[in-house]
Amino acid sequence: MTDVAHTPRVFSGIKPSGGLTLGNYLGAIKRFVETQGQGMDTIYCVVDLHAITVWQDPADLRNATREVAAGYLASGIDPDQSVLFNQSQVSAHAELGWLFNCVARLGWMNRMTQFKEKAGKNAEKQSLGLYAYPSLMAADILLYHATHVPVGEDQKQHVELTRDIAAKFNHDYKADGFFPMPEPVIEGPATRVMNLRDGTKKMSKSGESDMERINMTDDAATIAKKFKKARTDPAPLPETYKELSERPEARNLVDIYASLSDTSAEAVVTEYAGAGWGQFKPALADLAVSKLSPISEEMDRLMKDPAEIDRILGKGADRAREIANPILERTYDIVGMVRSTGA
Ligand code: ATP
Ligand code: MG
């Protein structure tokens, strides 16, 4: 039962767990846009079922779902070229997620570093969903037989778990090749954008302080202020990128600059060699504003018409179901579930 005879297929998602950050843009959305129109099927999801693994106020969740959708659209995801939808409208995700809960092993889940980070010292009080989330993520990907998963560095372990789940399913059910082995695609200079106040932590939408992240919807003054206050060391920029290896905050700002300007981090260091932060930070802020403000203006415009966003997501969900449902049905058959009609 081999089954990988389709064009390469890309799947990725973003949680509506807060407003989008520069990390989400550079590590995910910008790369999703670049992947579009390259001869691959592209499927992009607002993964709302993942968002509720931690508490979300219902009205905030609805708003954040539309805002993530607006972020995709404003950045250049074309709903005619890509399948764009929110996860909960395609019930096959939850169904395959359950099957995978019965494939994934507790020992595997216990190794997931993101759960440990998010749960902190309070693991006992976390939802079962937060613990099981990587198994649902495996379902999101494998439900479409996706072969490529563009993500930030922090999601690498979950894509590897997805491969383990696919391999164990194929092996246990003697369904060789049914689920493909998806590749994590982690490329470019900004695969792990760091927190502006603490260069050892990644920038996150759900982080505590607004000053630690750039939001895609921040205005020019706010972006300038946040970069100005971003933590750095006192030394100027060095001659070579290698010299930044022990300077995480400095390296982060260089990586952001490189990604925003579509050059390499090495080229940025060459251009600014010897410059101090008083010169580099305002240049970075101007660059970020010039790239983000057209996007945030378009997001603003889109958010004024939530019904239109919902219509786009609904249409995307219809297309997603057309791909997902036959794969789910075959999975049920493989597992031995009886499927029938009353006719
Ligand atoms: P949360 O704090 O709720 O987990 P998040 O900012 O981590 O939110 P996710 O929805 O978990 O965002 O991730 C969406 C995508 O953005 C993933 O591909 C993830 O790897 C990528 N991503 C998230 N943060 C960063 C970052 N700081 N740098 C690069 N990519 C990132
Ligand atoms: Mg995250």
Side-chain angles (χ1 to χ4, degrees):
M1 188 175 306
T2 44
D3 196 52
V4 261
H6 59 69
T7 45
R9 184 173 283 164
V10 175
F11 178 94
S12 201
I14 298 182
K15 276 183 292 178
S17 48
L20 292 165
T21 72
L22 185 61
N24 301 135
Y25 178 64
L26 298 178
I29 300 177
K30 183 170 184 282
R31 299 172 48 230
F32 301 169
V33 174
E34 289 159 3
T35 309
Q36 221 177 215
Q38 303 286 317
M40 297 184 273
D41 296 339
T42 44
I43 305 172
Y44 297 120
C45 193
V46 185
V47 284
D48 47 9
L49 295 174
H50 287 288
I52 60 163
T53 54
V54 299
W55 170 252
Q56 305 292 337
D57 171 81
D60 292 348
L61 177 64
R62 260 188 292 274
N63 186 63
T65 300
R66 292 175 182 135
E67 190 180 305
V68 172
Y72 276 124
L73 294 164
S75 302
I77 296 298
D78 172 355
D80 292 324
Q81 274 193 69
S82 294
V83 178
L84 176 63
F85 68 107
N86 60 313
Q87 186 187 24
S88 61
Q89 295 210 69
V90 180
S91 57
H93 286 253
E95 293 179 62
L96 188 62
W98 177 258
L99 297 184
F100 286 170
N101 282 348
C102 302
V103 175
R105 304 289 96 181
L106 284 181
W108 302 359
M109 307 312 280
N110 287 337
R111 285 196 288 275
M112 295 298 114
T113 57
Q114 189 173 100
F115 177 77
K116 289 180 203 161
E117 276 159 30
K118 289 201 183 240
K121 291 200 182 77
N122 242 341
E124 299 268 314
K125 294 218 165 101
Q126 300 302 329
S127 72
L128 180 55
L130 186 68
Y131 184 71
Y133 141 66
S135 151
L136 178 59
M137 176 166 158
D140 300 336
I141 296 165
L142 295 172
L143 188 54
Y144 299 92
H145 281 184
T147 51
H148 295 79
V149 188
V151 281
E153 174 66 38
D154 62 301
Q155 291 297 332
K156 184 165 188 246
Q157 194 184 34
H158 293 161
V159 183
E160 283 164 359
L161 180 89
T162 300
R163 295 166 63 94
D164 291 341
I165 290 175
K168 183 165 170 57
F169 181 98
N170 290 350
H171 174 266
D172 290 357
Y173 289 105
K174 300 189 174 50
D176 192 27
F178 178 65
F179 285 119
M181 294 294 140
E183 293 284 344
V185 186
I186 301 169
E187 283 167 1
T191 55
R192 189 173 179 82
V193 176
M194 304 312 279
N195 178 319
L196 297 180
R197 305 314 293 263
D198 178 349
T200 65
K201 288 193 193 141
K202 87 165 186 77
M203 186 182 286
S204 290
K205 358 177 174 73
S206 61
E208 274 158 40
S209 150
D210 197 57
M211 287 303 287
E212 69 187 42
R213 61 179 168 264
I214 304 284
N215 301 304
M216 283 179 73
T217 52
D218 281 344
D219 61 27
T222 308
I223 291 175
K225 183 177 80 187
K226 286 179 176 176
F227 278 128
K228 190 167 174 214
K229 297 214 163 177
R231 201 171 136 185
T232 43
D233 53 45
L237 283 164
E239 302 284 325
T240 61
Y241 184 66
K242 246 173 94 185
E243 292 166 72
L244 287 174
S245 63
E246 304 294 317
R247 298 173 61 189
E249 288 90 3
R251 192 180 62 212
N252 186 41
L253 297 185
V254 168
D255 289 342
I256 292 173
Y257 193 105
S259 180
L260 281 169
S261 59
D262 292 307
T263 50
S264 67
E266 287 78 6
V268 174
V269 173
T270 305
E271 188 185 340
Y272 283 95
W277 296 109
Q279 183 188 347
F280 187 75
K281 282 178 166 182
L284 175 59
D286 287 348
L287 174 64
V289 169
S290 76
K291 297 289 175 176
L292 291 182
S293 66
I295 299 175
S296 66
E297 276 165 31
E298 178 63 5
M299 284 174 74
D300 247 13
R301 195 189 65 77
L302 291 164
M303 287 298 280
K304 291 199 175 88
D305 190 356
E308 174 61 9
I309 296 179
D310 295 1
R311 193 192 63 77
I312 292 170
L313 292 174
K315 204 170 154 201
D318 291 343
R319 289 169 65 201
R321 267 183 238 107
E322 279 170 29
I323 307 171
N325 287 351
I327 293 177
L328 179 68
E329 283 166 15
R330 286 163 63 202
T331 312
Y332 276 143
D333 287 341
I334 290 169
V335 170
M337 300 296 179
V338 172
R339 296 191 299 114
S340 53
T341 66

